[in-house]
Amino acid sequence: MAEFIKLYDENPNERDIKRIVEVLKNDGIIIYPTDTVYGLGCDITSNRALERVAQLRGIKLAKANFSFVCEDLSNLSDYTRQIDTPTFKLLKRALPGPYTFILQGNNNLPTVFKKKKTVGIRVPDNNIARAIVRHLGNPIISTSIYDEDDVIEYTTDPELILEKWDKLVDVVIDGGYGGNIPSTVIDLTSGEAVLIREGKGDLTI
């Protein structure tokens, strides 16, 4: 049975955040709010949890395109190759925000991602998600939770999310109703911004 934890974006309760981080450090999986849709995530350093997330999504971990959710841009160099000034300015302008930026990965990526040449970076405009990452001390991986209903592609109601995922994850965070529009995905690996998926983000950045 998943723990159901209510948090407020304006001022997330630190004790609850620490409890969530404890779960993550023990190979747990969480469902948490972002500035777009609710995400399914775990600690990027936990191979066991990463395997569980991949299994839930029905994909092989080696082929998974999970995003790294970061607190800010300060840790980018831990996982990406050197970023030129125009690219960094674009990232700084857009983040925190509803974007996933694909960047060239470096050799410090966690073991299970070693063969990947790129990494998707998210810095959501959501205090709950960023507080979790800050207390954890490293990014969490993220993948959107899908609803089988073709009309409602993303589940938005935390209580319905709990109903569906109760036996599959360890914590469901109620951060209020989520959106149903995913992040805008932009590929920056070529030095130019290439739109991969149009989502919630403003394309005039």
Side-chain angles (χ1 to χ4, degrees), residues 137-171:
N138 57 255
I140 53 178
I141 68 105
S142 187
T143 179
S144 302
I145 59 167
Y146 290 93
D147 196 300
E148 280 90 19
D149 187 331
D150 290 333
V151 180
I152 310 167
E153 191 177 18
Y154 297 98
T155 306
T156 59
D157 183 337
E159 291 192 4
L160 294 178
I161 292 171
L162 177 67
E163 208 174 283
K164 179 179 175 181
W165 293 86
D166 191 24
K167 295 182 174 67
L168 301 172
V169 301
D170 302 291
V171 172

mmCIF file of all heavy atoms in Angstrom, residues 137-171:
data_model
loop_
_atom_site.group_PDB
_atom_site.id
_atom_site.type_symbol
_atom_site.label_atom_id
_atom_site.label_comp_id
_atom_site.label_asym_id
_atom_site.label_seq_id
_atom_site.Cartn_x
_atom_site.Cartn_y
_atom_site.Cartn_z
ATOM 1 N N GLY A 137 19.815 15.209 -2.722
ATOM 2 C CA GLY A 137 21.216 15.484 -3.031
ATOM 3 C C GLY A 137 21.630 15.123 -4.440
ATOM 4 O O GLY A 137 22.777 15.318 -4.830
ATOM 5 N N ASN A 138 20.704 14.584 -5.225
ATOM 6 C CA ASN A 138 20.957 14.299 -6.642
ATOM 7 C C ASN A 138 19.615 14.214 -7.359
ATOM 8 O O ASN A 138 18.570 14.157 -6.708
ATOM 9 C CB ASN A 138 21.764 13.004 -6.824
ATOM 10 C CG ASN A 138 21.099 11.792 -6.205
ATOM 11 O OD1 ASN A 138 21.529 11.312 -5.148
ATOM 12 N ND2 ASN A 138 20.060 11.272 -6.814
ATOM 13 N N PRO A 139 19.617 14.234 -8.691
ATOM 14 C CA PRO A 139 18.336 14.219 -9.425
ATOM 15 C C PRO A 139 17.523 12.950 -9.198
ATOM 16 O O PRO A 139 18.049 11.920 -8.738
ATOM 17 C CB PRO A 139 18.773 14.318 -10.895
ATOM 18 C CG PRO A 139 20.130 14.934 -10.854
ATOM 19 C CD PRO A 139 20.763 14.403 -9.601
ATOM 20 N N ILE A 140 16.251 13.047 -9.499
ATOM 21 C CA ILE A 140 15.406 11.860 -9.602
ATOM 22 C C ILE A 140 15.079 11.682 -11.076
ATOM 23 O O ILE A 140 15.074 12.644 -11.833
ATOM 24 C CB ILE A 140 14.110 11.971 -8.767
ATOM 25 C CG1 ILE A 140 13.336 13.251 -9.092
ATOM 26 C CG2 ILE A 140 14.411 11.893 -7.293
ATOM 27 C CD1 ILE A 140 12.016 13.382 -8.335
ATOM 28 N N ILE A 141 14.872 10.429 -11.484
ATOM 29 C CA ILE A 141 14.446 10.226 -12.867
ATOM 30 C C ILE A 141 12.940 10.417 -12.917
ATOM 31 O O ILE A 141 12.239 10.261 -11.919
ATOM 32 C CB ILE A 141 14.855 8.851 -13.447
ATOM 33 C CG1 ILE A 141 14.105 7.718 -12.759
ATOM 34 C CG2 ILE A 141 16.341 8.659 -13.423
ATOM 35 C CD1 ILE A 141 13.026 7.150 -13.612
ATOM 36 N N SER A 142 12.470 10.776 -14.074
ATOM 37 C CA SER A 142 11.046 11.049 -14.200
ATOM 38 C C SER A 142 10.498 10.549 -15.521
ATOM 39 O O SER A 142 11.149 10.647 -16.555
ATOM 40 C CB SER A 142 10.803 12.555 -14.095
ATOM 41 O OG SER A 142 9.417 12.822 -14.053
ATOM 42 N N THR A 143 9.298 10.003 -15.443
ATOM 43 C CA THR A 143 8.549 9.643 -16.634
ATOM 44 C C THR A 143 7.088 9.908 -16.320
ATOM 45 O O THR A 143 6.650 9.687 -15.188
ATOM 46 C CB THR A 143 8.792 8.168 -17.038
ATOM 47 O OG1 THR A 143 8.010 7.860 -18.196
ATOM 48 C CG2 THR A 143 8.449 7.196 -15.932
ATOM 49 N N SER A 144 6.351 10.442 -17.256
ATOM 50 C CA SER A 144 4.952 10.799 -17.002
ATOM 51 C C SER A 144 4.106 9.560 -16.756
ATOM 52 O O SER A 144 4.385 8.484 -17.293
ATOM 53 C CB SER A 144 4.375 11.561 -18.203
ATOM 54 O OG SER A 144 5.127 12.722 -18.457
ATOM 55 N N ILE A 145 3.074 9.719 -15.931
ATOM 56 C CA ILE A 145 2.147 8.600 -15.736
ATOM 57 C C ILE A 145 1.035 8.734 -16.773
ATOM 58 O O ILE A 145 0.461 9.788 -16.947
ATOM 59 C CB ILE A 145 1.584 8.543 -14.302
ATOM 60 C CG1 ILE A 145 0.847 9.832 -13.933
ATOM 61 C CG2 ILE A 145 2.675 8.273 -13.295
ATOM 62 C CD1 ILE A 145 0.019 9.722 -12.679
ATOM 63 N N TYR A 146 0.794 7.652 -17.443
ATOM 64 C CA TYR A 146 -0.214 7.660 -18.502
ATOM 65 C C TYR A 146 -1.502 7.043 -17.997
ATOM 66 O O TYR A 146 -1.500 6.191 -17.126
ATOM 67 C CB TYR A 146 0.268 6.846 -19.707
ATOM 68 C CG TYR A 146 1.391 7.490 -20.453
ATOM 69 C CD1 TYR A 146 2.724 7.183 -20.149
ATOM 70 C CD2 TYR A 146 1.147 8.415 -21.451
ATOM 71 C CE1 TYR A 146 3.765 7.780 -20.836
ATOM 72 C CE2 TYR A 146 2.180 9.018 -22.143
ATOM 73 C CZ TYR A 146 3.486 8.689 -21.828
ATOM 74 O OH TYR A 146 4.518 9.290 -22.513
ATOM 75 N N ASP A 147 -2.590 7.457 -18.594
ATOM 76 C CA ASP A 147 -3.888 6.855 -18.327
ATOM 77 C C ASP A 147 -4.290 6.083 -19.577
ATOM 78 O O ASP A 147 -4.088 6.566 -20.682
ATOM 79 C CB ASP A 147 -4.915 7.949 -18.020
ATOM 80 C CG ASP A 147 -6.163 7.388 -17.361
ATOM 81 O OD1 ASP A 147 -6.813 6.539 -17.991
ATOM 82 O OD2 ASP A 147 -6.474 7.793 -16.233
ATOM 83 N N GLU A 148 -4.837 4.880 -19.386
ATOM 84 C CA GLU A 148 -5.225 4.084 -20.562
ATOM 85 C C GLU A 148 -6.345 4.749 -21.361
ATOM 86 O O GLU A 148 -6.524 4.484 -22.539
ATOM 87 C CB GLU A 148 -5.686 2.677 -20.144
ATOM 88 C CG GLU A 148 -4.543 1.716 -19.869
ATOM 89 C CD GLU A 148 -4.100 1.759 -18.421
ATOM 90 O OE1 GLU A 148 -4.872 2.236 -17.586
ATOM 91 O OE2 GLU A 148 -2.972 1.329 -18.145
ATOM 92 N N ASP A 149 -7.115 5.599 -20.702
ATOM 93 C CA ASP A 149 -8.201 6.306 -21.386
ATOM 94 C C ASP A 149 -7.599 7.253 -22.421
ATOM 95 O O ASP A 149 -6.826 8.140 -22.106
ATOM 96 C CB ASP A 149 -9.005 7.103 -20.346
ATOM 97 C CG ASP A 149 -10.256 7.722 -20.952
ATOM 98 O OD1 ASP A 149 -10.253 8.022 -22.161
ATOM 99 O OD2 ASP A 149 -11.227 7.918 -20.214
ATOM 100 N N ASP A 150 -7.950 7.062 -23.673
ATOM 101 C CA ASP A 150 -7.385 7.883 -24.746
ATOM 102 C C ASP A 150 -7.767 9.354 -24.630
ATOM 103 O O ASP A 150 -7.067 10.226 -25.112
ATOM 104 C CB ASP A 150 -7.837 7.357 -26.120
ATOM 105 C CG ASP A 150 -7.193 6.018 -26.442
ATOM 106 O OD1 ASP A 150 -6.088 5.755 -25.925
ATOM 107 O OD2 ASP A 150 -7.811 5.254 -27.182
ATOM 108 N N VAL A 151 -8.902 9.609 -23.993
ATOM 109 C CA VAL A 151 -9.366 10.986 -23.881
ATOM 110 C C VAL A 151 -8.544 11.728 -22.819
ATOM 111 O O VAL A 151 -8.109 12.850 -23.004
ATOM 112 C CB VAL A 151 -10.868 11.032 -23.529
ATOM 113 C CG1 VAL A 151 -11.337 12.476 -23.413
ATOM 114 C CG2 VAL A 151 -11.670 10.294 -24.599
ATOM 115 N N ILE A 152 -8.329 11.078 -21.690
ATOM 116 C CA ILE A 152 -7.525 11.682 -20.619
ATOM 117 C C ILE A 152 -6.164 11.010 -20.639
ATOM 118 O O ILE A 152 -5.962 9.973 -20.018
ATOM 119 C CB ILE A 152 -8.191 11.493 -19.246
ATOM 120 C CG1 ILE A 152 -9.657 11.930 -19.289
ATOM 121 C CG2 ILE A 152 -7.451 12.281 -18.173
ATOM 122 C CD1 ILE A 152 -10.465 11.504 -18.096
ATOM 123 N N GLU A 153 -5.232 11.606 -21.366
ATOM 124 C CA GLU A 153 -3.937 10.947 -21.534
ATOM 125 C C GLU A 153 -3.129 10.929 -20.233
ATOM 126 O O GLU A 153 -2.420 9.995 -19.950
ATOM 127 C CB GLU A 153 -3.138 11.647 -22.629
ATOM 128 C CG GLU A 153 -1.905 10.854 -23.029
ATOM 129 C CD GLU A 153 -1.151 11.500 -24.167
ATOM 130 O OE1 GLU A 153 -1.347 12.675 -24.421
ATOM 131 O OE2 GLU A 153 -0.355 10.778 -24.776
ATOM 132 N N TYR A 154 -3.273 11.970 -19.439
ATOM 133 C CA TYR A 154 -2.535 12.044 -18.184
ATOM 134 C C TYR A 154 -3.504 12.146 -17.015
ATOM 135 O O TYR A 154 -4.456 12.912 -17.059
ATOM 136 C CB TYR A 154 -1.598 13.262 -18.173
ATOM 137 C CG TYR A 154 -0.547 13.166 -19.239
ATOM 138 C CD1 TYR A 154 -0.705 13.815 -20.451
ATOM 139 C CD2 TYR A 154 0.595 12.399 -19.037
ATOM 140 C CE1 TYR A 154 0.252 13.722 -21.437
ATOM 141 C CE2 TYR A 154 1.554 12.296 -20.017
ATOM 142 C CZ TYR A 154 1.385 12.955 -21.217
ATOM 143 O OH TYR A 154 2.334 12.843 -22.198
ATOM 144 N N THR A 155 -3.263 11.364 -15.988
ATOM 145 C CA THR A 155 -4.127 11.404 -14.818
ATOM 146 C C THR A 155 -3.833 12.661 -14.010
ATOM 147 O O THR A 155 -2.684 12.974 -13.743
ATOM 148 C CB THR A 155 -3.890 10.152 -13.953
ATOM 149 O OG1 THR A 155 -4.046 9.000 -14.769
ATOM 150 C CG2 THR A 155 -4.878 10.078 -12.822
ATOM 151 N N THR A 156 -4.884 13.375 -13.619
ATOM 152 C CA THR A 156 -4.693 14.664 -12.951
ATOM 153 C C THR A 156 -5.142 14.676 -11.491
ATOM 154 O O THR A 156 -4.707 15.517 -10.722
ATOM 155 C CB THR A 156 -5.475 15.763 -13.694
ATOM 156 O OG1 THR A 156 -6.863 15.413 -13.708
ATOM 157 C CG2 THR A 156 -4.981 15.910 -15.125
ATOM 158 N N ASP A 157 -6.017 13.762 -11.102
ATOM 159 C CA ASP A 157 -6.577 13.749 -9.753
ATOM 160 C C ASP A 157 -5.744 12.834 -8.851
ATOM 161 O O ASP A 157 -5.702 11.617 -9.072
ATOM 162 C CB ASP A 157 -8.031 13.255 -9.821
ATOM 163 C CG ASP A 157 -8.726 13.271 -8.472
ATOM 164 O OD1 ASP A 157 -8.035 13.236 -7.438
ATOM 165 O OD2 ASP A 157 -9.969 13.299 -8.455
ATOM 166 N N PRO A 158 -5.082 13.380 -7.805
ATOM 167 C CA PRO A 158 -4.210 12.568 -6.950
ATOM 168 C C PRO A 158 -4.916 11.375 -6.307
ATOM 169 O O PRO A 158 -4.306 10.319 -6.141
ATOM 170 C CB PRO A 158 -3.739 13.566 -5.882
ATOM 171 C CG PRO A 158 -3.881 14.903 -6.511
ATOM 172 C CD PRO A 158 -5.058 14.804 -7.426
ATOM 173 N N GLU A 159 -6.198 11.519 -5.956
ATOM 174 C CA GLU A 159 -6.905 10.399 -5.322
ATOM 175 C C GLU A 159 -7.143 9.264 -6.321
ATOM 176 O O GLU A 159 -7.068 8.087 -5.971
ATOM 177 C CB GLU A 159 -8.221 10.890 -4.704
ATOM 178 C CG GLU A 159 -7.966 11.792 -3.497
ATOM 179 C CD GLU A 159 -9.210 12.067 -2.687
ATOM 180 O OE1 GLU A 159 -10.274 11.503 -3.015
ATOM 181 O OE2 GLU A 159 -9.104 12.844 -1.727
ATOM 182 N N LEU A 160 -7.415 9.622 -7.573
ATOM 183 C CA LEU A 160 -7.575 8.588 -8.601
ATOM 184 C C LEU A 160 -6.232 7.950 -8.935
ATOM 185 O O LEU A 160 -6.151 6.756 -9.240
ATOM 186 C CB LEU A 160 -8.205 9.193 -9.867
ATOM 187 C CG LEU A 160 -9.648 9.690 -9.732
ATOM 188 C CD1 LEU A 160 -10.129 10.295 -11.038
ATOM 189 C CD2 LEU A 160 -10.565 8.563 -9.289
ATOM 190 N N ILE A 161 -5.189 8.772 -8.883
ATOM 191 C CA ILE A 161 -3.835 8.246 -9.108
ATOM 192 C C ILE A 161 -3.517 7.199 -8.037
ATOM 193 O O ILE A 161 -3.018 6.114 -8.336
ATOM 194 C CB ILE A 161 -2.787 9.385 -9.080
ATOM 195 C CG1 ILE A 161 -2.968 10.304 -10.291
ATOM 196 C CG2 ILE A 161 -1.364 8.818 -9.063
ATOM 197 C CD1 ILE A 161 -2.136 11.576 -10.238
ATOM 198 N N LEU A 162 -3.831 7.523 -6.773
ATOM 199 C CA LEU A 162 -3.592 6.582 -5.669
ATOM 200 C C LEU A 162 -4.360 5.288 -5.882
ATOM 201 O O LEU A 162 -3.826 4.193 -5.691
ATOM 202 C CB LEU A 162 -3.997 7.228 -4.337
ATOM 203 C CG LEU A 162 -3.876 6.323 -3.106
ATOM 204 C CD1 LEU A 162 -2.422 5.987 -2.821
ATOM 205 C CD2 LEU A 162 -4.530 6.968 -1.880
ATOM 206 N N GLU A 163 -5.618 5.433 -6.308
ATOM 207 C CA GLU A 163 -6.458 4.257 -6.542
ATOM 208 C C GLU A 163 -5.817 3.305 -7.556
ATOM 209 O O GLU A 163 -5.799 2.096 -7.372
ATOM 210 C CB GLU A 163 -7.811 4.746 -7.078
ATOM 211 C CG GLU A 163 -8.980 3.854 -6.765
ATOM 212 C CD GLU A 163 -10.284 4.507 -7.208
ATOM 213 O OE1 GLU A 163 -10.768 5.419 -6.506
ATOM 214 O OE2 GLU A 163 -10.776 4.119 -8.281
ATOM 215 N N LYS A 164 -5.256 3.890 -8.597
ATOM 216 C CA LYS A 164 -4.685 3.082 -9.672
ATOM 217 C C LYS A 164 -3.298 2.518 -9.330
ATOM 218 O O LYS A 164 -2.960 1.399 -9.684
ATOM 219 C CB LYS A 164 -4.603 3.935 -10.942
ATOM 220 C CG LYS A 164 -3.988 3.185 -12.117
ATOM 221 C CD LYS A 164 -3.954 4.043 -13.362
ATOM 222 C CE LYS A 164 -3.225 3.312 -14.471
ATOM 223 N NZ LYS A 164 -3.151 4.096 -15.694
ATOM 224 N N TRP A 165 -2.475 3.322 -8.628
ATOM 225 C CA TRP A 165 -1.071 2.963 -8.415
ATOM 226 C C TRP A 165 -0.765 2.466 -7.000
ATOM 227 O O TRP A 165 0.395 2.211 -6.671
ATOM 228 C CB TRP A 165 -0.190 4.178 -8.719
ATOM 229 C CG TRP A 165 -0.197 4.579 -10.153
ATOM 230 C CD1 TRP A 165 -1.091 5.404 -10.785
ATOM 231 C CD2 TRP A 165 0.733 4.180 -11.168
ATOM 232 N NE1 TRP A 165 -0.768 5.549 -12.109
ATOM 233 C CE2 TRP A 165 0.349 4.805 -12.372
ATOM 234 C CE3 TRP A 165 1.879 3.369 -11.157
ATOM 235 C CZ2 TRP A 165 1.046 4.643 -13.566
ATOM 236 C CZ3 TRP A 165 2.579 3.201 -12.337
ATOM 237 C CH2 TRP A 165 2.164 3.825 -13.527
ATOM 238 N N ASP A 166 -1.808 2.316 -6.183
ATOM 239 C CA ASP A 166 -1.637 2.014 -4.759
ATOM 240 C C ASP A 166 -0.688 0.850 -4.479
ATOM 241 O O ASP A 166 0.148 0.913 -3.576
ATOM 242 C CB ASP A 166 -3.022 1.718 -4.156
ATOM 243 C CG ASP A 166 -2.980 1.657 -2.640
ATOM 244 O OD1 ASP A 166 -2.064 2.260 -2.053
ATOM 245 O OD2 ASP A 166 -3.856 1.018 -2.041
ATOM 246 N N LYS A 167 -0.807 -0.209 -5.248
ATOM 247 C CA LYS A 167 0.006 -1.412 -4.983
ATOM 248 C C LYS A 167 1.280 -1.457 -5.820
ATOM 249 O O LYS A 167 2.046 -2.424 -5.746
ATOM 250 C CB LYS A 167 -0.830 -2.665 -5.240
ATOM 251 C CG LYS A 167 -2.001 -2.819 -4.281
ATOM 252 C CD LYS A 167 -2.756 -4.110 -4.549
ATOM 253 C CE LYS A 167 -3.835 -4.346 -3.506
ATOM 254 N NZ LYS A 167 -4.927 -3.368 -3.576
ATOM 255 N N LEU A 168 1.524 -0.415 -6.622
ATOM 256 C CA LEU A 168 2.659 -0.439 -7.549
ATOM 257 C C LEU A 168 3.808 0.478 -7.124
ATOM 258 O O LEU A 168 4.950 0.259 -7.511
ATOM 259 C CB LEU A 168 2.192 -0.032 -8.955
ATOM 260 C CG LEU A 168 1.096 -0.917 -9.568
ATOM 261 C CD1 LEU A 168 0.587 -0.294 -10.853
ATOM 262 C CD2 LEU A 168 1.625 -2.322 -9.817
ATOM 263 N N VAL A 169 3.486 1.513 -6.356
ATOM 264 C CA VAL A 169 4.514 2.470 -5.936
ATOM 265 C C VAL A 169 4.511 2.581 -4.413
ATOM 266 O O VAL A 169 3.651 2.015 -3.734
ATOM 267 C CB VAL A 169 4.295 3.865 -6.577
ATOM 268 C CG1 VAL A 169 4.309 3.770 -8.093
ATOM 269 C CG2 VAL A 169 2.988 4.497 -6.089
ATOM 270 N N ASP A 170 5.481 3.316 -3.878
ATOM 271 C CA ASP A 170 5.631 3.409 -2.421
ATOM 272 C C ASP A 170 5.022 4.677 -1.838
ATOM 273 O O ASP A 170 4.582 4.683 -0.691
ATOM 274 C CB ASP A 170 7.123 3.330 -2.070
ATOM 275 C CG ASP A 170 7.735 2.043 -2.603
ATOM 276 O OD1 ASP A 170 7.400 0.972 -2.075
ATOM 277 O OD2 ASP A 170 8.522 2.101 -3.569
ATOM 278 N N VAL A 171 5.017 5.752 -2.609
ATOM 279 C CA VAL A 171 4.436 7.016 -2.149
ATOM 280 C C VAL A 171 3.700 7.686 -3.307
ATOM 281 O O VAL A 171 4.216 7.732 -4.426
ATOM 282 C CB VAL A 171 5.526 7.994 -1.621
ATOM 283 C CG1 VAL A 171 4.927 9.375 -1.341
ATOM 284 C CG2 VAL A 171 6.186 7.456 -0.363
#
